[in-house]
């Protein structure tokens, strides 16, 4: 089996359409892009000193393999495009930083440029969603958020902080002289065929400016609902709600639970060219062809409410509001749904039933809410166990607390290996609970019923977030500790833990989470 080893320079490989796919006992295997330079094969043959086996690849397949090969090679040979020049590891990049540096001397910028590019490329390689550059009086700390969990990447001398922050500001076209107020910007980058948007936020603190880089992979913005882990019944209910001509569909969960990704996937289903789709977001995460997207700007009075009020005069069929934060936005959203528009939005609550009571608490009349609401989705993201290093765990009190009976298969625990960066986890899985607003739920909402009564009517046979998490644990896809961490269940053993449904509420025969 060929192993990916990329001794060819990235620029050469991309320019001439020639890629070393791997090398085995039969010799090097080279991929040639269908429109590549065949004469470059002679140079590759001369450089390797061995006969080549050539495989012709379509352009899309070549670009995909180019990204995979150079991303797997790490920082030393990572993709170099859009300014991501990475001549060494992060440690070697740090060695290039001079002991003293004059901010007015641009000749000293090159090591800092390579360092910040290296940080971004390393974050992309690890699948990080955010890069945190944190300035303190005695040090500069760089941390990545990978699979929802923070991990430290570098601890640098404090003198590097102004250089690093200034470079990020230049990339994002921010005012490098202004250090007293927060600033926001964006940077567009590419790694091979992957297009990245990096959202930049700066914040003044006592130790200096802190910078957070949110890495948005445009490929993730095109995910479909089928790829998000909905169970078949939940997916069918969501698709039915999206096909209704009017009403409100809500997605709820904490920050970082994938709400925006679900909304974009819903827009992808609706974006068939026959509807006028408009959004108001803070900020616009991904550009979607065929959708009119507006960004909130509080400095000029462009709030969610103002934006929603304006786009309703643009004859929309579907309206997406990034978040319902206040009573005014909620009132306009409800009125829009009652006048023939399909409204998609998010609310920050712990579960699906809580979203209903939240809208009621901020001023929506129960009878209006009952008439307009179509479906509520609550979701979380759990880290997926690394399949290469997971190990079975022994039965213990924690397992007994979560399961009324022994699971069909073994439970697993995280160990850690090189493939998962010694975390024991690789990637994330979605869990969901869905409340379709049928006649029963509508009567409860109109009658001002409490959250517990709505949840009891919506989930008589399970289907809560905790049930979906237990299902993933039983299937060996995540750990007990991860399920408890994300769903905030009490880890005490039986009898049924306080704040968690009794074990008998579990429905192991249902595939709540999906994969």
């Amino acid at each position: 089996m060929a192993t990916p080893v990329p001794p060819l320079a990235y620029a050469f490989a991309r320019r001439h359409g020639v890629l070393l796919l791997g090398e085995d006992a039969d010799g090097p295997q080279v991929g040639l892009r269908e429109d590549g330079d065949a004469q470059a094969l002679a140079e590759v043959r001369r450089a390797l000193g061995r006969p080549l086996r050539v495989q012709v690849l379509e352009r899309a397949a070549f670009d995909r393999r180019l990204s995979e090969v150079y991303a797997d090679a790490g920082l030393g040979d990572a993709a170099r495009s859009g300014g991501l020049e990475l001549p060494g590891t992060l440690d070697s990049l740090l060695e290039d930083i001079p002991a003293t540096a004059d901010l007015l001397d641009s000749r000293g910028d090159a090591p800092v440029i390579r360092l910040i590019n290296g940080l971004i490329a390393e974050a992309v390689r690890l699948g990080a969603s955010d890069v945190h550059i944190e300035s303190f009086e005695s040090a500069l700390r760089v941390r990545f958020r990978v699979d929802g969990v923070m991990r430290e990447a570098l601890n640098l001398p404090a003198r590097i902080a102004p250089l690093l922050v200034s470079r990020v500001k230049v990339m994002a076209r921010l005012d490098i002289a202004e250090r007293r107020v927060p600033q926001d910007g964006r940077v567009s980058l590419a790694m091979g065929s992957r297009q990245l948007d990096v959202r930049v936020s700066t914040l003044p603190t006592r130790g200096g400016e802190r910078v957070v880089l949110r890495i948005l992979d445009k490929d993730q913005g095109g995910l479909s609902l089928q790829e998000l882990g909905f169970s078949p019944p939940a997916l069918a209910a969501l698709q039915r709600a999206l096909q209704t001509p009017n009403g409100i569909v809500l997605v709820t969960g904490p920050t970082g639970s994938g709400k925006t990704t679900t909304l974009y996937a819903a827009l992808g289903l609706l974006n068939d060219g026959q509807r006028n789709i408009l959004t108001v977001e803070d900020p616009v995460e991904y550009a979607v062809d065929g959708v009119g997207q507006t960004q909130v700007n509080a400095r000029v009075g462009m709030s969610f409410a103002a934006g929603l009020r304006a786009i309703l005069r643009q004859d929309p069929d579907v309206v997406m509001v990034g978040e319902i934060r206040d009573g005014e936005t909620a009132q306009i959203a409800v009125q829009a749904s009652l006048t023939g528009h399909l409204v998609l939005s998010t609310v920050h609550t712990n579960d699906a039933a809580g979203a209903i009571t939240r809208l009621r608490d901020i001023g929506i009349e129960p009878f209006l809410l009952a008439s307009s609401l179509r479906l509520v989705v609550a979701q979380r993201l759990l880290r997926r166990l690394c399949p290469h290093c997971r190990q079975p765990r022994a039965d213990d009190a924690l397992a007994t607390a979560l399961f009324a009976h022994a699971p069909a298969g073994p439970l697993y625990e995280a160990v850690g290996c090189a493939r998962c960066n010694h975390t024991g986890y690789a990637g994330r899985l979605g869990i969901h609970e869905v409340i379709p607003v049928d006649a029963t739920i509508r009567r409860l909402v109109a009658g001002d019923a409490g959250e517990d009564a709505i949840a009891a009517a919506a989930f008589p046979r399970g289907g809560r977030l905790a049930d979906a998490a237990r299902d993933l644990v039983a299937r060996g896809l995540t750990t007990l500790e991860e399920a408890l961490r994300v769903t905030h269940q009490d880890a005490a053993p039986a009898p049924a833990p306080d704040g968690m449904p009794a074990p008998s509420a579990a429905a192991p025969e249902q595939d709540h989470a999906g994969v």
Side-chain angles (χ1 to χ4, degrees):
M1 182 177 178
T3 55
V5 284
L8 304 179
Y10 175 83
F12 178 88
R14 186 174 186 184
R15 182 184 307 114
H16 297 287
V18 178
L19 174 67
L20 183 59
L21 299 175
E23 189 170 357
D24 54 24
D26 297 328
Q29 183 177 4
V30 174
L32 176 66
R33 195 173 57 210
E34 56 185 359
D35 59 347
D37 183 3
Q39 294 182 354
L41 293 174
E43 179 64 22
V44 176
R45 169 71 172 80
R46 184 195 64 78
L48 297 180
R50 299 177 62 187
L52 306 178
R53 293 179 297 131
V54 180
Q55 176 183 355
V56 179
L57 301 173
E58 295 182 353
R59 172 174 285 273
F62 180 87
D63 288 342
R64 184 170 61 254
R65 292 301 301 272
L66 184 72
S67 297
E68 291 172 354
V69 168
Y70 283 86
D72 289 344
L75 284 175
D77 294 286
R80 298 169 170 87
S81 179
L84 294 182
E85 298 292 337
L86 307 171
T89 64
L90 288 179
D91 290 337
S92 66
L93 293 175
L94 288 177
E95 294 174 359
D96 292 336
I97 303 292
T100 60
D102 186 349
L103 285 176
L104 299 179
D105 184 1
S106 61
R107 292 174 299 176
D109 286 347
V112 176
I113 291 173
R114 290 197 297 270
L115 177 58
I116 190 63
N117 292 346
L119 286 172
I120 296 174
E122 179 75 350
V124 173
R125 186 183 71 82
L126 294 175
S129 60
D130 301 88
V131 178
H132 291 246
I133 302 173
E134 304 167 332
S135 299
F136 300 99
E137 291 181 351
S138 58
L140 173 68
R141 184 173 64 178
V142 179
R143 294 193 292 171
F144 297 155
R145 185 178 294 277
V146 181
D147 293 338
V149 178
M150 297 285 282
R151 68 170 69 168
E152 185 169 317
L154 291 174
N155 202 301
L156 310 174
R159 60 180 173 80
I160 299 177
L163 302 172
L164 214 56
V165 172
S166 294
R167 171 58 187 167
V168 172
K169 285 185 172 182
V170 169
M171 293 171 65
R173 294 179 172 83
L174 303 179
D175 185 356
I176 63 173
E178 180 57 76
R179 301 189 179 98
R180 301 167 298 174
V181 297
Q183 298 186 64
D184 296 292
R186 299 180 84 99
V187 182
S188 294
L189 298 171
M191 288 189 69
S193 60
R194 296 176 64 180
Q195 298 299 315
L196 306 173
D197 267 344
V198 180
R199 200 171 73 214
V200 179
S201 173
T202 70
L203 178 70
T205 66
R206 186 172 63 88
E209 287 184 281
R210 294 170 64 108
V211 178
V212 176
L213 310 176
R214 167 64 59 88
I215 299 173
L216 304 170
D217 189 341
K218 293 183 179 180
D219 293 340
Q220 299 296 317
L223 293 176
S224 66
L225 289 173
Q226 289 80 1
E227 298 174 278
L228 299 184
F230 283 92
S231 67
L235 179 61
L238 178 55
Q239 290 174 331
R240 285 195 302 270
L242 293 174
Q243 295 305 322
T244 57
N246 56 68
I248 299 177
V249 175
L250 289 177
V251 182
T252 182
T255 300
S257 61
K259 300 187 299 298
T260 302
T261 301
T262 299
L263 286 183
Y264 275 105
L267 289 184
L269 179 67
L270 297 170
N271 188 20
D272 57 3
Q274 300 180 5
R275 298 176 175 91
N276 182 22
I277 303 176
L278 299 174
T279 76
V280 54
E281 307 172 55
D282 182 24
V284 174
E285 299 275 6
Y286 301 101
V288 182
D289 291 337
V291 175
Q293 297 172 273
T294 303
Q295 182 158 320
V296 167
N297 188 344
R299 287 177 293 184
V300 296
M302 183 63 170
S303 63
F304 276 118
L308 179 55
R309 191 179 292 110
I311 63 178
L312 288 177
R313 295 192 286 269
Q314 295 283 315
D315 185 33
D317 298 296
V318 179
V319 174
M320 188 187 94
V321 185
E323 182 184 348
I324 295 179
R325 297 177 177 173
D326 52 57
E328 183 182 9
T329 305
Q331 292 283 0
I332 299 171
V334 168
Q335 291 300 325
S337 70
L338 294 174
T339 53
H341 305 87
L342 180 62
V343 179
L344 312 180
S345 190
T346 70
V347 181
H348 281 91
T349 57
N350 291 328
D351 53 25
I356 298 174
T357 57
R358 173 66 58 82
L359 291 180
R360 193 173 58 201
D361 291 342
I362 62 177
I364 303 300
E365 293 291 342
F367 71 93
L368 291 176
L369 190 57
S371 301
S372 59
L373 203 57
R374 296 291 177 266
L375 180 132
V376 184
V377 178
Q379 65 181 59
R380 299 287 191 279
L381 294 175
L382 282 78
R383 291 182 292 171
R384 182 198 293 266
L385 265 172
C386 175
H388 303 287
C389 63
R390 66 177 187 174
Q391 290 184 357
R393 66 179 291 159
D395 293 338
D396 53 21
L398 186 59
T400 303
L402 286 182
F403 293 94
H405 50 77
L411 305 183
Y412 292 88
E413 61 184 358
V415 177
C417 64
R419 299 196 187 193
C420 61
N421 292 293
H422 303 283
T423 63
Y425 300 94
R428 289 195 284 181
L429 298 159
I431 57 173
H432 308 85
E433 65 179 32
V434 176
I435 299 181
V437 181
D438 54 17
T440 300
I441 302 298
R442 190 171 294 113
R443 283 194 298 270
L444 290 171
V445 174
D448 206 14
E451 188 174 323
D452 292 340
I454 295 174
F459 307 108
R461 292 179 298 276
R464 303 298 303 269
L465 288 171
D467 300 326
R470 281 195 292 267
D471 182 62
L472 292 183
V473 173
R475 293 162 57 190
L477 297 176
T478 192
T479 62
L480 290 167
E481 292 79 8
E482 181 70 4
L484 292 171
R485 181 184 71 86
V486 172
T487 58
H488 302 291
Q489 301 175 49
D490 190 343
D498 188 22
M500 186 190 82
S504 59
E509 71 278 1
Q510 294 182 343
D511 181 8
H512 298 301
V515 178

